[in-house]
């Protein structure tokens, strides 16, 4: 990293495909020193957050209601923990960004890995997963225990969202999807985010046929929309990292930000979530067509620049210093991107 930034001082380094045990360690080691981000951890998280916020909008509710969502997460690898951390921070920011807000946000997540529900009784727990381990009293009140199966957790929690980042194809079995029919949400959401296609937790056909026509469905892999009959379509939303990482990179470059902050990543995710019209989200469309990727990238970059300026991280780009950047921002950032 030192050699790269010595040679190219304005470069942005994107980390990709590092194993979990290295991904977080390297991210924490370098993110406050160098202009870098990990796309698997932060890009995946941002796209997932945008989808989760879109799912709230699809219920006819404002994004600020996100902290009320109960979310069961299947998978505690780098992608899963990355999404959990980002979702918790998003909820906490909406709740006031203080200690009680973080604690309140933590209680909205139930995390299941290969050994079942993660609680404080888990032996040799991964330090990254520790903040999301359920207190045993909380689990018991819900009728659950350490290591409870995904089916049990879904049945008892009745979540608004079932989020898969497990890389285990078919994990959302018929039994799990049947249990999810008990969701207390007016419009439950299934995110089968693992890819490639063979690793998807379920297919859209399985989700719509078992849980019902009213769900929101998103995946990490490309699937065709589902014909529900009577002219109705079950939309399959692909949560692809390409929606965010070009805009994050461009916005960081143009702002001259010293680092890629949580706030800049959050701004990118919220920009993507707000990109869809009200009509589109009510139809169950929470991600835009990739044919609009250049415009999306422009919008995301503008949001990242604005946040960098707001956090006093922007140092300008080429001949443009931070003061000129501030003036342009006050006019309309998208005009000069």
């Amino acid at each position: 990293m030192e050699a790269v930034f010595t040679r190219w001082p304005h470069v942005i380094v994107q980390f990709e495909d590092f194993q979990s045990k290295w991904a977080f360690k390297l991210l924490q080691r370098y993110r406050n020193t160098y202009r870098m981000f990990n796309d698997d951890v932060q890009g995946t998280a941002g796209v997932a957050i945008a989808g989760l916020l879109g799912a709230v909008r699809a219920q006819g509710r404002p994004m600020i209601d996100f902290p009320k969502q109960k979310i069961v997460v299947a998978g505690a690898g780098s992608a899963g923990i990355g999404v959990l951390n980002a979702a918790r921070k998003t909820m906490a920011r909406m709740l006031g960004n203080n200690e009680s807000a973080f604690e309140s946000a933590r209680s909205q997540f139930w995390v299941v890995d290969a050994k079942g529900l993660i609680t404080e009784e888990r032996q040799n727990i991964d330090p990254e997963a520790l903040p999301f381990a359920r207190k045993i009293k909380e689990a018991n009140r819900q009728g659950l225990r350490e290591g409870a199966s995904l089916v049990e957790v879904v049945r008892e929690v009745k979540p608004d969202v079932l989020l898969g980042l497990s890389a285990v194809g078919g994990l959302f079995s018929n039994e799990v999807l049947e249990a999810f029919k008990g969701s207390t949400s007016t419009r439950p959401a299934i995110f089968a985010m693992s890819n490639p296609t063979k690793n998807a937790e379920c297919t859209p056909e399985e989700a719509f046929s078992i849980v019902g026509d009213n769900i929101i469905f998103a995946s990490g892999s490309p699937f065709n929309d589902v014909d529900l009959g009577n002219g109705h379509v079950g939309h399959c939303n692909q949560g692809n990292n390409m929606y965010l990482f070009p805009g994050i990179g461009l916005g960081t470059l143009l702002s001259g930000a010293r680092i890629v902050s949580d706030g800049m990543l959050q701004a990118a995710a919220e920009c993507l979530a707000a990109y869809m019209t009200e009509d589109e989200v009510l139809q169950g469309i929470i991600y835009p067509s990739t044919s609009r990727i250049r415009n999306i990238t422009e919008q995301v970059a503008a949001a990242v620049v604005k946040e960098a300026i707001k956090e006093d991280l922007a140092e300008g780009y080429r001949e443009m210093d931070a003061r000129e950047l501030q003036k342009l921002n006050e006019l309309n950032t998208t005009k000069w991107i």
Side-chain angles (χ1 to χ4, degrees):
M1 292 293 280
E2 188 177 336
V4 167
F5 280 88
T6 300
R7 176 64 182 83
W8 297 286
H10 302 295
V11 77
I12 301 156
V13 175
Q14 176 175 319
F15 278 48
E16 190 87 28
D17 290 342
F18 280 77
Q19 289 181 5
S20 297
K21 64 180 179 180
W22 296 113
F24 288 101
K25 205 173 282 186
L26 293 171
L27 182 61
Q28 294 311 319
R29 183 183 298 170
Y30 294 127
R31 67 170 307 191
N32 295 317
T33 309
Y34 297 109
R35 192 183 296 158
M36 59 79 65
F37 67 101
N38 182 306
D39 189 47
D40 298 307
V41 176
Q42 296 165 300
T44 300
V47 171
I49 296 303
L52 292 168
L53 294 173
V56 175
R57 291 183 65 202
Q59 295 170 11
R61 297 161 65 183
M63 286 194 283
I64 200 75
D65 277 359
F66 179 50
K68 298 175 184 175
Q69 301 282 288
K70 290 181 294 183
I71 302 174
V72 169
V73 181
S78 62
I81 297 296
V83 170
L84 280 162
N85 283 328
R88 184 186 185 189
K89 285 173 185 171
T90 301
M91 287 185 177
R93 279 164 69 111
M94 291 176 170
L95 292 169
N97 220 18
N98 50 39
E99 198 172 321
S100 65
F102 268 88
E103 181 56 28
S104 176
R106 182 198 64 79
S107 67
Q108 298 304 109
F109 301 96
W110 299 77
V111 186
V112 179
D113 68 1
K115 297 177 183 175
L117 177 67
I118 299 176
T119 73
E120 60 189 4
E121 286 191 342
R122 175 70 61 91
Q123 298 292 311
N124 302 318
I125 190 167
D126 184 337
E128 303 296 339
L130 185 59
F132 301 97
R134 299 299 300 205
K135 291 181 170 60
I136 205 64
K137 284 184 181 176
E138 292 174 337
N140 290 343
R141 273 200 304 271
Q142 200 79 47
L144 294 167
R145 68 192 189 292
E146 161 61 35
S149 70
L150 180 59
V151 175
E152 292 174 285
V153 174
V154 171
R155 188 179 294 131
E156 297 302 327
V157 175
K158 302 179 179 7
D160 299 277
V161 179
L162 180 55
L163 175 58
L165 289 152
S166 65
V168 179
L171 183 66
F172 296 167
S173 63
N174 288 6
E175 194 180 6
V176 169
L177 294 173
E178 284 287 350
F180 190 54
K181 286 166 74 173
S183 168
T184 54
S185 174
T186 56
R187 196 166 194 188
I190 296 174
F191 286 73
M193 300 298 281
S194 295
N195 53 43
T197 309
K198 65 182 174 62
N199 289 350
E201 285 77 10
C202 69
T203 66
E205 288 86 358
E206 290 165 342
F208 283 105
S209 65
I210 295 173
V211 186
D213 295 357
N214 192 43
I215 63 167
I216 298 296
F217 183 86
S219 63
S221 300
F223 286 101
N224 293 325
D225 289 343
V226 179
D227 183 356
L228 302 174
N230 299 321
H232 296 293
V233 174
H235 291 283
C236 180
N237 300 276
Q238 188 188 0
N240 194 311
N241 288 14
M242 72 181 287
Y243 288 125
L244 287 188
F245 72 77
I248 292 169
L250 180 60
T252 303
L253 178 73
L254 293 177
S255 67
R258 298 184 294 280
I259 60 168
V260 182
S261 71
D262 284 337
M264 290 159 67
L265 295 163
Q266 176 79 28
E270 289 182 1
C271 174
L272 179 58
Y275 189 84
M276 308 307 297
T277 66
E278 211 62 35
D279 283 347
E280 286 171 324
V281 292
L282 293 176
Q283 288 174 48
I285 304 170
I286 57 172
Y287 291 120
S289 163
T290 53
S291 64
R292 294 149 79 178
I293 191 63
R294 288 186 178 276
N295 182 250
I296 295 161
T297 296
E298 177 185 296
Q299 299 290 329
V300 169
V304 169
V305 171
K306 287 179 180 179
E307 184 63 25
I309 293 169
K310 181 179 168 186
E311 294 183 30
D312 200 25
L313 292 170
E315 296 184 348
Y317 176 65
R318 292 185 176 170
E319 292 80 33
M320 188 180 296
D321 64 19
R323 283 173 301 177
E324 289 176 282
L325 200 60
Q326 177 68 52
K327 284 180 192 171
L328 278 171
N329 179 48
E330 287 163 5
L331 294 171
N332 187 344
T333 318
T334 57
K335 295 294 183 192
W336 53 274
I337 287 181

